[in-house]
């Protein structure tokens, strides 16, 4: 059953989105058996799509990047809210069908839709500059995909992604909280992340065993720093590789030895006996900079 609720009091009915029967039919036509390896859980509920698209706060002139369009559930909602959708799908069978689905459910919208059959982690160029990332991400690669795209596409200024609920909490965590970790600090390099809701399991086929979470992000100005992103990320990785250790101990290999780690931490105005989980991105930047000699 296609999800196209009639609403005589509120004007024209919304355009049809994919319901459970559409997903079953499309998957049947393709002989698709969703795989866990590719995180294939397809949304079968139009209200969830409307909620995601609404929370993404898209401007109708925007070009949206969607990763993992799958059978097209979210793609159709995005085509209604944005000027152009660029979708990157790794599965060639799903990718092969998607243009037909767009034509079937949104006749005439094909010119506003670009499909790329590729691994999102390897994409470094796109034919259109996307301004927003909106995606129901494959859960096993969600954080690397978000960080990779923010790094390679500076045109992305905001977005809304659906990830495992626990990962959503991690991405949006603040310093000092138990779940604050590498994804939280690295994401903060690019901008602000905010938890934007929880999604139940029954809106997917097949239903996952865990809840999903929505994360909204806004890109901020790139931090002013003499250290490169790679140098800052190396410090972050080292600090959290030994989460229970003090920063003096955790950063001793990075600095050369414990005494040097302590000297650099003090130079960066960071307490050497603190742990990595209490530092914000600005502190990590200061530590990375402490190791770079000042120009004369
Ligand atoms: N957007 C669809 C929806 O909401 O129903 C499908 C979402 S499903 C959670 C994740 C999708 O990402 C699948 O279609 C899967 O094939 C695709 N995928 C998995 N790994 C990928 C990767 N590295 N690059 C691009 N697409 C990927």
């Amino acid at each position: 059953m296609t999800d196209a609720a009639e609403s005589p009091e509120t004007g024209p009915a919304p355009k049809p989105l994919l319901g459970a029967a559409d997903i079953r039919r499309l998957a049947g036509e393709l002989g698709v058996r969703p795989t866990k390896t590719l995180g294939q859980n397809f949304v079968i509920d139009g209200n969830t799509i409307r909620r995601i698209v609404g929370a993404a706060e898209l401007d109708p002139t925007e070009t949206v990047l969607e990763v993992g369009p799958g059978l097209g559930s979210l793609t159709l909602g995005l085509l209604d809210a944005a000027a152009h959708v660029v979708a990157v799908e790794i599965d060639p069978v799903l990718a092969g069908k998607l243009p037909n689905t767009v034509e079937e459910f949104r006749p005439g919208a094909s010119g506003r839709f670009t499909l790329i059959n590729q691994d999102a982690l390897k994409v470094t160029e796109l034919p259109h500059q996307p301004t927003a990332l909106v995606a129901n991400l494959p859960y096993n690669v969600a954080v690397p995909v978000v960080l990779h795209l923010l790094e390679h596409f500076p045109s992305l200024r905001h977005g809304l992604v659906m990830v495992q609920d626990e990962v959503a909490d991690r991405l949006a965590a603040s310093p000092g909280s138990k779940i604050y970790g590498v994804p939280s600090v690295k994401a903060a390099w690019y901008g602000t992340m905010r938890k934007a809701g929880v999604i139940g399991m029954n809106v997917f086929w097949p239903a996952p065993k865990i809840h999903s979470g929505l994360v909204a992000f806004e890109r901020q100005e790139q931090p002013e720093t003499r250290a490169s992103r790679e140098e800052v990320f190396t410090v972050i990785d080292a600090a959290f590789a030994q989460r229970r250790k003090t920063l003096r101990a955790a950063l001793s290999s990075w600095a050369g030895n414990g005494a040097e780690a302590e000297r650099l931490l003090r130079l960066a105005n960071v307490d050497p006996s603190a742990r990595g989980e209490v530092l914000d991105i600005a502190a990590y930047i200061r530590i990375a900079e402490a190791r770079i000699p000042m120009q004369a």
Side-chain angles (χ1 to χ4, degrees), residues 38-43 66 68-70 73 88-90 119-120 136 138:
L38 291 179
Q40 292 177 335
N41 301 94
F42 305 110
V43 175
E66 183 190 6
S73 306
V88 180
E89 171 59 58
I90 198 170
D119 179 345
N136 170 15

